Amino acid sequence: MTDVLSEVVRMLTDVVGEDFLLDVEVGPDTSFGDDLALESIEFVALVDRLRAHYGDRVDFPAFIAGLDLDQLINLTVGDVVDHITAAERAHA
């Protein structure tokens, strides 16, 4: 899980820029909305990077589509990491 977390944080840094994350310690409980104030275009860019890295075995469109509005608004880095980890375990 820590490898996946590190990879997600690295990709997030690539998307929003290192300067943006200087004041934020990103961890599993970090929310994309409240904590990071991620714009939708930035979230889409992050998902594109994750899809390019993890491929179709980690179905991000289905994951996002399966969330209700509250879950989407409160989505955390840990939620994404958990999804990736579970999908990789299922395809192992």
Side-chain angles (χ1 to χ4, degrees):
M1 179 166 146
T2 57
D3 291 342
V4 174
L5 177 60
S6 297
E7 192 63 30
V8 170
V9 171
R10 184 189 65 73
M11 289 182 202
L12 182 59
T13 302
D14 290 347
V15 168
V16 299
E18 197 171 290
D19 293 343
F20 180 77
L21 295 178
L22 287 177
D23 296 333
V24 180
E25 186 172 333
V26 179
D29 294 330
T30 305
S31 69
F32 291 104
D34 288 342
D35 296 328
L36 297 176
L38 214 63
E39 300 284 333
S40 58
I41 192 77
E42 293 168 325
F43 187 74
V44 169
L46 174 63
V47 169
D48 283 344
R49 286 176 186 263
L50 291 167
R51 285 180 65 193
H53 182 78
Y54 291 102
D56 291 335
R57 67 187 183 276
V58 180
D59 190 353
F60 286 105
F63 171 62
I64 299 300
L67 300 176
D68 65 30
L69 186 57
D70 284 338
Q71 290 170 316
L72 190 56
I73 290 170
N74 297 309
L75 190 67
T76 66
V77 172
D79 294 332
V80 172
V81 169
D82 289 346
H83 172 71
I84 293 168
T85 304
E88 288 196 318
R89 251 193 318 261
H91 286 85

